[in-house]
Amino acid sequence: MSRYAPLPFSHVKLEGQFWRERLETVLTRTVPSQHRKLAEYGILDSLKLPDPPPPLRFPRASNGFTVQVFWDSDVGKWIEAASYALSHRRDPDIENKIEAAIDDLEMAQAPDGYLNCWYLGREPENRWTNLRDNHEFYNAGHLLEGAIAYFQATGRRRFLDIMERYLDHIYSVFGRGDGQKRGYDGHEEIELALMKLYYLTGERRHLDFAAYLVDERGQQPHYFDMEREARAARGLVEQRYPFPNYEYSQSHKPVREQDKVVGHAVRAMYLYTAMADLAAELGDASLKRACEVLWNDVMNTKMYVTAGLGPSAHNEGFTHDYDLPNQTAYAETCASVALIFWAQRMLHLDLDGKYGDILELAMFNGALSGLSRDGEHYFYANPLESDGRPSRWEWHTCPCCTMNVSRLVASVSGYFLSTAADGVAFHLYGGISTEVEIGGTRVALREVSDYPWRGEVAIHVDPRSPAEFDVKLRIPGWCTGASVSVNGRSLDVAQAERGYLTVRRIWGPGDIIRLNLPMPPVRLYAHPAAIADAGRVALKRGPLVYCLEEVDNPGGRVQRLRLPRKAELHAEPYNIFDGAVALTADGVAVDESDFTQLYRTTPPTEQTAVVTAIPYFLWANRGQGTMVVWVPESAG
Amino acid sequence: MSRYAPLPFSHVKLEGQFWRERLETVLTRTVPSQHRKLAEYGILDSLKLPDPPPPLRFPRASNGFTVQVFWDSDVGKWIEAASYALSHRRDPDIENKIEAAIDDLEMAQAPDGYLNCWYLGREPENRWTNLRDNHEFYNAGHLLEGAIAYFQATGRRRFLDIMERYLDHIYSVFGRGDGQKRGYDGHEEIELALMKLYYLTGERRHLDFAAYLVDERGQQPHYFDMEREARAARGLVEQRYPFPNYEYSQSHKPVREQDKVVGHAVRAMYLYTAMADLAAELGDASLKRACEVLWNDVMNTKMYVTAGLGPSAHNEGFTHDYDLPNQTAYAETCASVALIFWAQRMLHLDLDGKYGDILELAMFNGALSGLSRDGEHYFYANPLESDGRPSRWEWHTCPCCTMNVSRLVASVSGYFLSTAADGVAFHLYGGISTEVEIGGTRVALREVSDYPWRGEVAIHVDPRSPAEFDVKLRIPGWCTGASVSVNGRSLDVAQAERGYLTVRRIWGPGDIIRLNLPMPPVRLYAHPAAIADAGRVALKRGPLVYCLEEVDNPGGRVQRLRLPRKAELHAEPYNIFDGAVALTADGVAVDESDFTQLYRTTPPTEQTAVVTAIPYFLWANRGQGTMVVWVPESAG
């Protein structure tokens, strides 16, 4: 099988209602409002070296911070998201704002190429002394992604040139050569950014440095130990490292020896993304194997049903197998976004629908829940149960998630399909059009559907002239009873292999594939080892995980509701917005009005109650209230 | 009604099997082993001023501590527990150990009476600069309790004299007089210790200072603010205060204005204990009212079914109403012990069985769970669910709970009954004998029972000569269908008022009261607002809360078990130790062996399974394993 590669999102037009609406919101509201927030909180000003104006004290921050070491990355991520927006439609105002930030970065850059505004503005003499904690490569990676995206959107090279100068400096300081530091960052990110630069430029040195960073990670003597000793020798004040070992940054051992997903979830996902990229690019079997082992570990023991990752706020990450508390789930938006990156790389390393399933699950649930309907409110943590207190916020001391979700949505059409020399593979559905070249033939492709609300999908395959090639259709793992026809003639879906049905034929103008993916509502049960979900059930329809929110189930907290095992689930249009589908069932509500004590010996009074569930990603858009994903089954 | 006062525990002999066993364990194993641990970890050596030997680094401590500011208190609490042991039987070895510690304290005491080994050994010039954080009064309070207990056990005054000199110093520095500091401690404790000293000596100044501390608390300008400014003026390094306000130490407002239980649970309970003492002693109605409001708040919205208090590790204390997570419950042993103190004071402020109910609940569950069967292992936190990882430990960086539970058990007979001028009130049952004077008549009392395992209680009332007085019997709130007879003649239990049945008659030698407290196993349901317990049920029999532990339910984690609502609960003798009663029921076990994925659409396979529950306080004595108090009800 020839190798499939993703199409740039800018080559794929979003036409379906679901993603058009999200995209429009991100373009018209999220990206502009994020710039306002970056300005308001002094993040943009922090680039204005050598004398940045004093930033505001963030009103919600308990640590009274004024400047964060990772602000460069937030600017980089905003430029990336804004550049994706420019790829959809040019906008002089946004371009001026990006150019202004690039002006500042250009001014800030040291003569030798070094470019980190936190260090340059505060402790220039201490650069490269604490990769473990201080995010210099991480910031560089995000700036680089921004520079690539801006170049791709506008053809302007200035930012990219700045970043290439910075990389020249980095490559001179770090590496395995004599006198070089054998460092890598505590927060992975630059690795995947370097792969993007390699794909853009074809310059091998970027791939080589990414491979160096991945391979050096966790080797002995440990770089973070040596670095700490060097700090001590210079008399620098040492902060206590709040973790017992280097699992937090996935540097506890060499990556090829890692078989458990550990530590900070976003760091882990960014690392694995780069590992999968490298495995594909280098044909590196042991790296591929490591990716697969880690994938199985997270899928089998550590992922929320929403594709949220990382239960613990302490390390923003993973704990032990099956530890999936719902109310306190951290499940950082960034981690689900980064899982999408990783899943996409796995899919192109090895075309298997199981990766597409998770890509889709994370897209529609754990990632999308991070952005409000209005496009200007966010979740950093994405709990699976709420007592009504936490709510979406406008901004955060660490705004990483805000731009992660905007850059995802602004480039979402890039995840829909891939092409190879002899075919095209559809991973997601939801309405797109594109024109691709397959085996020398131009082929117009148009996928029409109301996905994820409805499972009927039509794919128009229009080669300029008849040509034989594969059309691979992902048959989602959640779907039973899928049917496929070409020009009205049914195909045998049982022929699908590893999640894809391959249709090979001589395609001609006007050909239509019809794919029907039945999506009856289903119950999900968690592995009994996931003790937080014991005796509970989650609801899902198609790729969407549902939840009960108080606004749809008035009369008190939704934790009063129970679902009988045999209650029929109904899918029906719901007024939360046009086209949305809610699930309803005849359930049971316990009454708390007659509970005069905290504990009593008689069961709560129960009444029948219609239970209404909405897609999880839509929760917390209509005021505060309780929410639950895992509903207790009724004992009545 | 004349006022009831507790009997000193040394006047009440424990005869029942249940508490005899716990007492013997504490006397023979816990108290000696605690001294070994205090020595091993350098806590005793820390008193050896001016040059204490360097203490060990505590192997389990993540903060790498060597000396803690509260170690004086641990020595004080051990002396208290050991002195209670001496009250049971003199022991020259223990006495020598106590004398050695008193030698060190006497040597350490400053010429002006000040006595805090942490400050004296490290920063003598900074004494009294940080009452908010550094526990000087708290340490003094525990040392004082130790001194009182040692004096009561042995008649030796030396330690008491040391502490009275220290108090003279404290009273000269603190108070409302000109030039005095209007301070109080961030960690309440000394208030209740001063009340004990007042009861011992009758010296009004101790009561007055306790009242001053309670009343000054939370007044404006806030002492902790002034103190912080004074530190800044002296150029002392300031640690960040990790809380948004002073609720942590119940000093956010004056105590009479407090109507919500907030902050650090142990601090709160110690404060309320002293408040109830003062309310009773001073006839202070507004203080009594504050106690009652706070009592209702904690009982109605914040107490675990085990009488555990404080869900959160962050503040070792309270959060918001109904926030009662099970697996992460902090529910510090000390907090339940301190709740016993408070409940006992409330009982003597206002003889109401509701206080006795909680005293008993905390005693048999939340407090007793903190001590292992072998008497040498502990819980600091008492979760209500375990995935099998946490286990009892031998010692802790903060060993407060270890001596709190040993001093409780060593003095437990003091909670059983109270006397007044015209009567005696029985609060707890379990087998005691004593001789009291009621209205000038000596009365021998003997209560015989297998409580808490069986509810049949016989009370022998033997006045030296016939005399009329009240015998008040607590009819536990958990009990329905209690019956009482005197010399075979039934009484009408419906006459009981506020939890006590008053039997007033002319008692003569050989009179016997028989009390029958039926204790069928019952289910408890939590208020629906306690969302962690939704769809779940807890089991209780008499005063004992039960749990499922893996060792009794082999075949996998107990979270696989479900309890059908209608399943009959059986109480039966259980081999965990002689006399113990387990609960069994025909339940359901879900099978995890056929779960190949983390989530699936088919319910877990279910089988019938006998579910065996043991008393909660007994869990984690037979190796590691899973445990659950709140069992999901079966949906089958």
PDB file of all heavy atoms in Angstrom, chain A residues 196-218:
ATOM      1  N   LYS A 196       7.459  19.728  11.136  1.00  0.00           N
ATOM      2  CA  LYS A 196       6.695  20.569  10.199  1.00  0.00           C
ATOM      3  C   LYS A 196       7.637  21.373   9.305  1.00  0.00           C
ATOM      4  O   LYS A 196       7.391  21.536   8.114  1.00  0.00           O
ATOM      5  CB  LYS A 196       5.790  21.537  10.970  1.00  0.00           C
ATOM      6  CG  LYS A 196       4.529  20.920  11.542  1.00  0.00           C
ATOM      7  CD  LYS A 196       3.586  22.031  12.033  1.00  0.00           C
ATOM      8  CE  LYS A 196       2.289  21.452  12.568  1.00  0.00           C
ATOM      9  NZ  LYS A 196       1.375  22.517  13.048  1.00  0.00           N
ATOM     10  N   LEU A 197       8.712  21.884   9.909  1.00  0.00           N
ATOM     11  CA  LEU A 197       9.665  22.673   9.132  1.00  0.00           C
ATOM     12  C   LEU A 197      10.386  21.781   8.114  1.00  0.00           C
ATOM     13  O   LEU A 197      10.652  22.191   6.981  1.00  0.00           O
ATOM     14  CB  LEU A 197      10.670  23.350  10.071  1.00  0.00           C
ATOM     15  CG  LEU A 197      11.663  24.295   9.399  1.00  0.00           C
ATOM     16  CD1 LEU A 197      10.938  25.455   8.694  1.00  0.00           C
ATOM     17  CD2 LEU A 197      12.657  24.852  10.420  1.00  0.00           C
ATOM     18  N   TYR A 198      10.655  20.570   8.547  1.00  0.00           N
ATOM     19  CA  TYR A 198      11.269  19.617   7.615  1.00  0.00           C
ATOM     20  C   TYR A 198      10.330  19.326   6.450  1.00  0.00           C
ATOM     21  O   TYR A 198      10.744  19.301   5.284  1.00  0.00           O
ATOM     22  CB  TYR A 198      11.628  18.333   8.368  1.00  0.00           C
ATOM     23  CG  TYR A 198      11.963  17.178   7.463  1.00  0.00           C
ATOM     24  CD1 TYR A 198      13.136  17.155   6.715  1.00  0.00           C
ATOM     25  CD2 TYR A 198      11.087  16.097   7.360  1.00  0.00           C
ATOM     26  CE1 TYR A 198      13.427  16.088   5.871  1.00  0.00           C
ATOM     27  CE2 TYR A 198      11.370  15.030   6.525  1.00  0.00           C
ATOM     28  CZ  TYR A 198      12.536  15.023   5.779  1.00  0.00           C
ATOM     29  OH  TYR A 198      12.817  13.981   4.955  1.00  0.00           O
ATOM     30  N   TYR A 199       9.044  19.123   6.746  1.00  0.00           N
ATOM     31  CA  TYR A 199       8.099  18.875   5.658  1.00  0.00           C
ATOM     32  C   TYR A 199       8.017  20.083   4.731  1.00  0.00           C
ATOM     33  O   TYR A 199       7.854  19.950   3.522  1.00  0.00           O
ATOM     34  CB  TYR A 199       6.697  18.551   6.206  1.00  0.00           C
ATOM     35  CG  TYR A 199       6.636  17.285   7.028  1.00  0.00           C
ATOM     36  CD1 TYR A 199       5.953  17.242   8.240  1.00  0.00           C
ATOM     37  CD2 TYR A 199       7.267  16.111   6.598  1.00  0.00           C
ATOM     38  CE1 TYR A 199       5.896  16.087   9.000  1.00  0.00           C
ATOM     39  CE2 TYR A 199       7.214  14.946   7.348  1.00  0.00           C
ATOM     40  CZ  TYR A 199       6.530  14.934   8.554  1.00  0.00           C
ATOM     41  OH  TYR A 199       6.484  13.794   9.299  1.00  0.00           O
ATOM     42  N   LEU A 200       8.122  21.281   5.314  1.00  0.00           N
ATOM     43  CA  LEU A 200       8.030  22.499   4.492  1.00  0.00           C
ATOM     44  C   LEU A 200       9.273  22.683   3.618  1.00  0.00           C
ATOM     45  O   LEU A 200       9.169  22.997   2.427  1.00  0.00           O
ATOM     46  CB  LEU A 200       7.853  23.716   5.414  1.00  0.00           C
ATOM     47  CG  LEU A 200       7.811  25.084   4.724  1.00  0.00           C
ATOM     48  CD1 LEU A 200       6.507  25.250   3.942  1.00  0.00           C
ATOM     49  CD2 LEU A 200       7.966  26.202   5.750  1.00  0.00           C
ATOM     50  N   THR A 201      10.439  22.490   4.251  1.00  0.00           N
ATOM     51  CA  THR A 201      11.678  22.866   3.551  1.00  0.00           C
ATOM     52  C   THR A 201      12.409  21.683   2.951  1.00  0.00           C
ATOM     53  O   THR A 201      13.260  21.878   2.069  1.00  0.00           O
ATOM     54  CB  THR A 201      12.651  23.536   4.537  1.00  0.00           C
ATOM     55  OG1 THR A 201      13.034  22.570   5.533  1.00  0.00           O
ATOM     56  CG2 THR A 201      12.017  24.736   5.223  1.00  0.00           C
ATOM     57  N   GLY A 202      12.138  20.512   3.444  1.00  0.00           N
ATOM     58  CA  GLY A 202      12.911  19.352   3.026  1.00  0.00           C
ATOM     59  C   GLY A 202      14.323  19.329   3.583  1.00  0.00           C
ATOM     60  O   GLY A 202      15.114  18.443   3.235  1.00  0.00           O
ATOM     61  N   GLU A 203      14.650  20.277   4.439  1.00  0.00           N
ATOM     62  CA  GLU A 203      16.017  20.326   4.985  1.00  0.00           C
ATOM     63  C   GLU A 203      16.208  19.260   6.060  1.00  0.00           C
ATOM     64  O   GLU A 203      15.584  19.296   7.127  1.00  0.00           O
ATOM     65  CB  GLU A 203      16.288  21.702   5.605  1.00  0.00           C
ATOM     66  CG  GLU A 203      16.594  22.767   4.595  1.00  0.00           C
ATOM     67  CD  GLU A 203      17.089  24.018   5.297  1.00  0.00           C
ATOM     68  OE1 GLU A 203      18.239  24.032   5.770  1.00  0.00           O
ATOM     69  OE2 GLU A 203      16.307  24.976   5.398  1.00  0.00           O
ATOM     70  N   ARG A 204      17.091  18.377   5.817  1.00  0.00           N
ATOM     71  CA  ARG A 204      17.319  17.225   6.669  1.00  0.00           C
ATOM     72  C   ARG A 204      17.759  17.598   8.086  1.00  0.00           C
ATOM     73  O   ARG A 204      17.497  16.864   9.047  1.00  0.00           O
ATOM     74  CB  ARG A 204      18.402  16.353   6.006  1.00  0.00           C
ATOM     75  CG  ARG A 204      18.835  15.134   6.770  1.00  0.00           C
ATOM     76  CD  ARG A 204      17.892  13.961   6.566  1.00  0.00           C
ATOM     77  NE  ARG A 204      18.200  12.901   7.501  1.00  0.00           N
ATOM     78  CZ  ARG A 204      17.693  11.690   7.457  1.00  0.00           C
ATOM     79  NH1 ARG A 204      16.819  11.365   6.509  1.00  0.00           N
ATOM     80  NH2 ARG A 204      18.018  10.777   8.345  1.00  0.00           N
ATOM     81  N   ARG A 205      18.462  18.734   8.224  1.00  0.00           N
ATOM     82  CA  ARG A 205      18.992  19.068   9.545  1.00  0.00           C
ATOM     83  C   ARG A 205      17.865  19.257  10.576  1.00  0.00           C
ATOM     84  O   ARG A 205      18.048  19.020  11.765  1.00  0.00           O
ATOM     85  CB  ARG A 205      19.877  20.311   9.476  1.00  0.00           C
ATOM     86  CG  ARG A 205      19.122  21.579   9.077  1.00  0.00           C
ATOM     87  CD  ARG A 205      20.092  22.701   8.710  1.00  0.00           C
ATOM     88  NE  ARG A 205      19.379  23.951   8.495  1.00  0.00           N
ATOM     89  CZ  ARG A 205      19.557  25.054   9.220  1.00  0.00           C
ATOM     90  NH1 ARG A 205      20.448  25.071  10.180  1.00  0.00           N
ATOM     91  NH2 ARG A 205      18.865  26.142   8.968  1.00  0.00           N
ATOM     92  N   HIS A 206      16.685  19.669  10.104  1.00  0.00           N
ATOM     93  CA  HIS A 206      15.590  19.836  11.047  1.00  0.00           C
ATOM     94  C   HIS A 206      15.077  18.481  11.522  1.00  0.00           C
ATOM     95  O   HIS A 206      14.819  18.282  12.712  1.00  0.00           O
ATOM     96  CB  HIS A 206      14.471  20.661  10.411  1.00  0.00           C
ATOM     97  CG  HIS A 206      14.943  21.991   9.905  1.00  0.00           C
ATOM     98  ND1 HIS A 206      15.657  22.869  10.688  1.00  0.00           N
ATOM     99  CD2 HIS A 206      14.832  22.579   8.681  1.00  0.00           C
ATOM    100  CE1 HIS A 206      15.961  23.954   9.979  1.00  0.00           C
ATOM    101  NE2 HIS A 206      15.481  23.801   8.748  1.00  0.00           N
ATOM    102  N   LEU A 207      14.943  17.565  10.593  1.00  0.00           N
ATOM    103  CA  LEU A 207      14.569  16.204  10.978  1.00  0.00           C
ATOM    104  C   LEU A 207      15.626  15.606  11.897  1.00  0.00           C
ATOM    105  O   LEU A 207      15.306  14.974  12.914  1.00  0.00           O
ATOM    106  CB  LEU A 207      14.394  15.344   9.723  1.00  0.00           C
ATOM    107  CG  LEU A 207      14.103  13.869   9.990  1.00  0.00           C
ATOM    108  CD1 LEU A 207      12.947  13.379   9.114  1.00  0.00           C
ATOM    109  CD2 LEU A 207      15.321  13.000   9.749  1.00  0.00           C
ATOM    110  N   ASP A 208      16.874  15.817  11.566  1.00  0.00           N
ATOM    111  CA  ASP A 208      17.948  15.230  12.384  1.00  0.00           C
ATOM    112  C   ASP A 208      17.914  15.775  13.808  1.00  0.00           C
ATOM    113  O   ASP A 208      18.136  15.044  14.775  1.00  0.00           O
ATOM    114  CB  ASP A 208      19.313  15.533  11.759  1.00  0.00           C
ATOM    115  CG  ASP A 208      19.556  14.705  10.504  1.00  0.00           C
ATOM    116  OD1 ASP A 208      18.825  13.694  10.314  1.00  0.00           O
ATOM    117  OD2 ASP A 208      20.447  15.070   9.714  1.00  0.00           O
ATOM    118  N   PHE A 209      17.646  17.076  13.935  1.00  0.00           N
ATOM    119  CA  PHE A 209      17.630  17.623  15.285  1.00  0.00           C
ATOM    120  C   PHE A 209      16.415  17.110  16.064  1.00  0.00           C
ATOM    121  O   PHE A 209      16.510  16.822  17.254  1.00  0.00           O
ATOM    122  CB  PHE A 209      17.662  19.159  15.253  1.00  0.00           C
ATOM    123  CG  PHE A 209      18.034  19.750  16.582  1.00  0.00           C
ATOM    124  CD1 PHE A 209      19.340  19.654  17.067  1.00  0.00           C
ATOM    125  CD2 PHE A 209      17.091  20.380  17.392  1.00  0.00           C
ATOM    126  CE1 PHE A 209      19.685  20.184  18.318  1.00  0.00           C
ATOM    127  CE2 PHE A 209      17.430  20.908  18.628  1.00  0.00           C
ATOM    128  CZ  PHE A 209      18.737  20.812  19.089  1.00  0.00           C
ATOM    129  N   ALA A 210      15.283  16.973  15.364  1.00  0.00           N
ATOM    130  CA  ALA A 210      14.114  16.383  16.031  1.00  0.00           C
ATOM    131  C   ALA A 210      14.442  14.968  16.508  1.00  0.00           C
ATOM    132  O   ALA A 210      14.098  14.578  17.637  1.00  0.00           O
ATOM    133  CB  ALA A 210      12.909  16.376  15.089  1.00  0.00           C
ATOM    134  N   ALA A 211      15.119  14.202  15.652  1.00  0.00           N
ATOM    135  CA  ALA A 211      15.474  12.829  16.020  1.00  0.00           C
ATOM    136  C   ALA A 211      16.454  12.821  17.187  1.00  0.00           C
ATOM    137  O   ALA A 211      16.351  12.002  18.112  1.00  0.00           O
ATOM    138  CB  ALA A 211      16.076  12.098  14.816  1.00  0.00           C
ATOM    139  N   TYR A 212      17.400  13.773  17.159  1.00  0.00           N
ATOM    140  CA  TYR A 212      18.339  13.895  18.269  1.00  0.00           C
ATOM    141  C   TYR A 212      17.596  14.165  19.587  1.00  0.00           C
ATOM    142  O   TYR A 212      17.854  13.526  20.615  1.00  0.00           O
ATOM    143  CB  TYR A 212      19.356  15.013  17.993  1.00  0.00           C
ATOM    144  CG  TYR A 212      19.865  15.679  19.231  1.00  0.00           C
ATOM    145  CD1 TYR A 212      20.854  15.091  20.019  1.00  0.00           C
ATOM    146  CD2 TYR A 212      19.316  16.893  19.658  1.00  0.00           C
ATOM    147  CE1 TYR A 212      21.287  15.690  21.190  1.00  0.00           C
ATOM    148  CE2 TYR A 212      19.741  17.499  20.823  1.00  0.00           C
ATOM    149  CZ  TYR A 212      20.727  16.901  21.597  1.00  0.00           C
ATOM    150  OH  TYR A 212      21.148  17.476  22.753  1.00  0.00           O
ATOM    151  N   LEU A 213      16.654  15.101  19.544  1.00  0.00           N
ATOM    152  CA  LEU A 213      15.918  15.450  20.774  1.00  0.00           C
ATOM    153  C   LEU A 213      15.141  14.254  21.311  1.00  0.00           C
ATOM    154  O   LEU A 213      15.111  14.001  22.514  1.00  0.00           O
ATOM    155  CB  LEU A 213      14.946  16.610  20.496  1.00  0.00           C
ATOM    156  CG  LEU A 213      15.576  17.974  20.211  1.00  0.00           C
ATOM    157  CD1 LEU A 213      14.509  18.961  19.735  1.00  0.00           C
ATOM    158  CD2 LEU A 213      16.289  18.523  21.448  1.00  0.00           C
ATOM    159  N   VAL A 214      14.525  13.518  20.403  1.00  0.00           N
ATOM    160  CA  VAL A 214      13.725  12.367  20.824  1.00  0.00           C
ATOM    161  C   VAL A 214      14.629  11.268  21.383  1.00  0.00           C
ATOM    162  O   VAL A 214      14.326  10.668  22.411  1.00  0.00           O
ATOM    163  CB  VAL A 214      12.865  11.869  19.643  1.00  0.00           C
ATOM    164  CG1 VAL A 214      12.335  10.462  19.906  1.00  0.00           C
ATOM    165  CG2 VAL A 214      11.715  12.842  19.384  1.00  0.00           C
ATOM    166  N   ASP A 215      15.734  11.052  20.724  1.00  0.00           N
ATOM    167  CA  ASP A 215      16.603   9.957  21.152  1.00  0.00           C
ATOM    168  C   ASP A 215      17.393  10.296  22.405  1.00  0.00           C
ATOM    169  O   ASP A 215      17.722   9.406  23.200  1.00  0.00           O
ATOM    170  CB  ASP A 215      17.570   9.579  20.026  1.00  0.00           C
ATOM    171  CG  ASP A 215      16.864   8.748  18.966  1.00  0.00           C
ATOM    172  OD1 ASP A 215      15.929   8.008  19.335  1.00  0.00           O
ATOM    173  OD2 ASP A 215      17.232   8.857  17.788  1.00  0.00           O
ATOM    174  N   GLU A 216      17.723  11.533  22.571  1.00  0.00           N
ATOM    175  CA  GLU A 216      18.526  11.919  23.722  1.00  0.00           C
ATOM    176  C   GLU A 216      17.707  11.886  25.009  1.00  0.00           C
ATOM    177  O   GLU A 216      18.257  11.687  26.101  1.00  0.00           O
ATOM    178  CB  GLU A 216      19.100  13.327  23.499  1.00  0.00           C
ATOM    179  CG  GLU A 216      20.259  13.683  24.383  1.00  0.00           C
ATOM    180  CD  GLU A 216      21.464  12.758  24.228  1.00  0.00           C
ATOM    181  OE1 GLU A 216      21.697  12.228  23.129  1.00  0.00           O
ATOM    182  OE2 GLU A 216      22.159  12.542  25.243  1.00  0.00           O
ATOM    183  N   ARG A 217      16.423  12.066  24.874  1.00  0.00           N
ATOM    184  CA  ARG A 217      15.505  12.129  26.013  1.00  0.00           C
ATOM    185  C   ARG A 217      15.666  10.911  26.921  1.00  0.00           C
ATOM    186  O   ARG A 217      15.586   9.784  26.486  1.00  0.00           O
ATOM    187  CB  ARG A 217      14.080  12.192  25.459  1.00  0.00           C
ATOM    188  CG  ARG A 217      13.063  12.578  26.471  1.00  0.00           C
ATOM    189  CD  ARG A 217      11.747  13.068  25.888  1.00  0.00           C
ATOM    190  NE  ARG A 217      11.175  13.976  26.871  1.00  0.00           N
ATOM    191  CZ  ARG A 217      11.393  15.263  26.919  1.00  0.00           C
ATOM    192  NH1 ARG A 217      12.087  15.854  25.975  1.00  0.00           N
ATOM    193  NH2 ARG A 217      10.885  15.990  27.898  1.00  0.00           N
ATOM    194  N   GLY A 218      15.888  11.179  28.194  1.00  0.00           N
ATOM    195  CA  GLY A 218      15.934  10.110  29.187  1.00  0.00           C
ATOM    196  C   GLY A 218      17.223   9.320  29.223  1.00  0.00           C
ATOM    197  O   GLY A 218      17.322   8.332  29.959  1.00  0.00           O
TER     198      GLY A 218
END
